[in-house]
Amino acid sequence: MIQLGESHSRSRLNIEPDLYDFWVSALISTVAESDPKFNPELEAAWKTVVERGIAVMKSMHDD
């Protein structure tokens, strides 16, 4: 996540932190459409894991 955070930071690709929320939403929607066993518990697990990494990337935006 550190390498992704660095490459997406303001000084490199300059991916605005607010855009990650849309990305997470699209990822979760894709998983929901693709996994017939998708349920609220699985959604929560995906969000927990993904949002930890996204938090690291967001924190590195201005570094």
Side-chain angles (χ1 to χ4, degrees):
M1 294 314 306
I2 302 278
Q3 289 176 332
L4 282 173
E6 289 172 348
S7 70
H8 288 64
S9 69
R10 181 179 307 279
S11 64
R12 305 237 344 246
L13 293 174
N14 194 24
I15 306 298
E16 290 296 326
D18 293 346
L19 295 177
Y20 294 119
D21 298 331
F22 295 110
W23 183 85
V24 170
S25 179
L27 176 66
I28 299 299
S29 293
T30 300
V31 173
E33 291 172 14
S34 302
D35 185 353
K37 295 182 181 179
F38 188 81
N39 60 40
E41 292 80 20
L42 189 56
E43 178 179 6
W46 268 96
K47 285 183 178 180
T48 296
V49 171
V50 171
E51 288 178 354
R52 286 181 185 161
I54 294 299
V56 171
M57 293 176 69
K58 284 181 174 182
S59 74
M60 297 180 71
H61 186 259
D62 292 324
D63 290 346

